[in-house]
Amino acid sequence: MVQKSKSLARWLRHRPDAIKISLDKEGWTDIGELLLKANALGVGLTRQELEQIVEENDKQRFSISEDGLRIRAAQGHSVAVNLNLVAKLPPPVLYHGTVSKFIPSIKKQGLLPGTRNDVHLSATSETALVVGARRGAAVLLKIETFPMVKAGIKFRCADNGVWLVDCVPVEFIKFP
Ligand code: HQG
């Protein structure tokens, strides 16, 4: 199931072409078609398994549409989609976990989305430390959000609680 969940994340965020599905502008794809295409490629996946993956996913990475017909990744895309999330007032402090080798560049450029569509920020320092630790010893950056809001930067919150912004200019980052 973990492997199937990883494949699903890859298809819905980065490589829909790998199983010949298409995502609409907001990142949704038809579940029936996805199951057919996955099975055609030898990735046996049933509707029940898909629902279990969505429900039990540790980071709630996937959303199913209200009518139950479509699925999308909640965030983390590199393919061009517009999740159409409404701008929302964030908590006063958000966190970003990274590693020390990126710090000189972040000090120059601020936080940039890299290959993804957005910069990802976490509501808790614990989560950000886990995100950073994927790459080595985590470095925790603190983001003062209200001055950013004042400066006109829009915050969006994905269905799974990950905060998304286009960038974080360096003046809003507190380094350890
Ligand atoms: C860094 C996972 C140099 C940034 C996680 C990060 C998250 C810079 C890396 C989600 C930079 C991008 C996203 C700059 C940012 N110079 N490096 N100016 N600005 N960086 O993976 O936030 O398990 O695209 O610090 O748990 O690490 O896939 O972003 O280290 O929620 O669902 O460039 O991915 O979720 O890396 O992680 P990423 P992220 P999933």
Side-chain angles (χ1 to χ4, degrees), residues 1-11 53 57 62:
M1 289 298 266
V2 170
Q3 196 45 53
K4 288 179 188 187
S5 174
K6 285 188 174 175
S7 298
L8 202 56
R10 180 166 168 269
W11 301 330
I53 287 169
N57 189 266
F62 311 104

Side-chain angles (χ1 to χ4, degrees), residues 9-77:
R10 180 166 168 269
W11 301 330
L12 294 176
R13 287 170 164 181
H14 312 297
R15 296 292 313 275
D17 57 301
I19 57 160
K20 302 187 174 68
I21 53 167
S22 52
L23 308 185
D24 73 9
K25 288 197 299 278
E26 297 182 0
W28 297 103
T29 197
D30 182 83
I31 292 177
E33 191 185 334
L34 175 105
L35 296 177
L36 277 177
K37 299 266 171 80
N39 280 284
L41 271 182
V43 182
L45 185 64
T46 64
R47 167 94 202 192
Q48 205 188 353
E49 284 176 330
L50 182 100
E51 282 174 6
Q52 195 183 334
I53 287 169
V54 172
E55 209 165 295
E56 293 176 1
N57 189 266
D58 58 344
K59 289 190 188 168
Q60 294 293 294
R61 290 180 177 88
F62 311 104
S63 308
I64 289 183
S65 59
E66 274 177 26
D67 60 11
L69 296 176
R70 296 172 302 152
I71 185 169
R72 75 176 180 184
Q75 38 71 229
H77 299 77

Side-chain angles (χ1 to χ4, degrees), residues 13 59 61 96 98 105 109-110 112 116 131 134-135:
R13 287 170 164 181
K59 289 190 188 168
R61 290 180 177 88
H96 180 86
T98 190
S105 166
Q109 305 176 306
L112 298 174
R116 300 189 201 250
V131 172
R134 284 150 57 235
R135 298 196 161 82

Side-chain angles (χ1 to χ4, degrees), residues 77-91:
H77 299 77
S78 59
V79 290
V81 293
N82 178 358
L83 296 173
N84 243 337
L85 300 167
V86 287
K88 216 172 137 184
L89 194 64

Side-chain angles (χ1 to χ4, degrees), residues 9 13-14 57-59 61 75-77 96-99 101-122 127-128 130-132 134-135 139 141 160 162 168 173:
R13 287 170 164 181
H14 312 297
N57 189 266
D58 58 344
K59 289 190 188 168
R61 290 180 177 88
Q75 38 71 229
H77 299 77
H96 180 86
T98 190
V99 282
K101 68 174 175 186
F102 292 149
I103 296 297
S105 166
I106 293 172
K107 282 188 169 164
K108 267 193 221 135
Q109 305 176 306
L111 287 171
L112 298 174
T115 58
R116 300 189 201 250
N117 295 342
D118 308 282
V119 171
H120 291 57
L121 302 174
S122 309
T127 304
V130 172
V131 172
R134 284 150 57 235
R135 298 196 161 82
V139 175
L141 306 182
N160 60 359
V162 173
V168 182
I173 305 173

